[in-house]
Amino acid sequence: DIKFRPLSIASGMGHSFVVCQNHTSDVTEDSPIVVSWGWNHNSQLGRNGLANIPLVVEALSSETPITVSGGRAHSVAITARKELWTWGCGRNGRLGLGSSADEPEPMVVEDLEGCEVMEAVAGFDHSLVLIGE
């Protein structure tokens, strides 16, 4: 029942994303959203549970997502405010949140506050971020 126009797509090892314009009555027509589906063992879909059907990543619905990228068991997104949001498996600090804890919902990477995130990609078990100041 999700009505959207795809803007960009991305995938991880077993999960997929689409950033799209949403066309529902409860969200402004021009508000981009992220829809995810696939393997969710480490919450890399940005939500709890093992439902592998396409669903909106609700934690990003108050943001304006521009791009998203998936790794093996984690994911990253950049918003219009040039902020980096990460979620999924946090092992070895791959989320950039200062811990190795898993995060089931997207969290902003506060250590990059004041930096302009230009690009971000989730590698197999790591993340790369290009920032400006």
Side-chain angles (χ1 to χ4, degrees):
D1 292 337
I2 298 171
K3 295 179 174 136
F4 57 82
R5 182 177 58 87
L7 300 173
S8 68
I9 58 172
S11 66
M13 187 162 173
H15 58 294
S16 301
F17 299 98
V18 61
V19 177
C20 51
Q21 293 298 124
N22 194 15
H23 296 286
T24 64
S25 60
D26 59 340
V27 177
T28 304
E29 185 173 315
D30 295 328
S31 292
I33 59 171
V34 174
V35 175
S36 63
W37 65 94
W39 188 60
N40 199 34
H41 183 71
N42 293 99
S43 299
Q44 60 267 46
L45 296 181
R47 59 178 186 265
N48 285 314
L50 299 176
N52 60 8
I53 60 173
L55 293 172
V56 174
V57 178
E58 293 294 337
L60 289 173
S61 62
S62 63
E63 300 296 322
T64 305
I66 303 299
T67 65
V68 66
S69 177
R72 179 174 62 92
H74 74 294
S75 306
V76 302
I78 300 173
T79 65
R81 292 190 288 183
K82 302 296 184 182
E83 293 176 326
L84 179 66
W85 291 67
T86 62
W87 63 94
C89 180
R91 180 179 284 164
N92 299 318
R94 73 187 69 168
L95 299 179
L97 298 172
S99 76
S100 289
D102 291 355
E103 291 295 340
E105 293 186 351
M107 304 281 295
V108 69
V109 178
E110 292 178 0
D111 285 345
L112 295 176
E113 187 177 8
C115 297
E116 186 175 315
V117 177
M118 309 298 287
E119 285 187 63
V121 292
F124 189 74
D125 281 334
H126 63 288
S127 300
L128 299 170
V129 182
L130 177 64
I131 60 171
E133 293 187 45

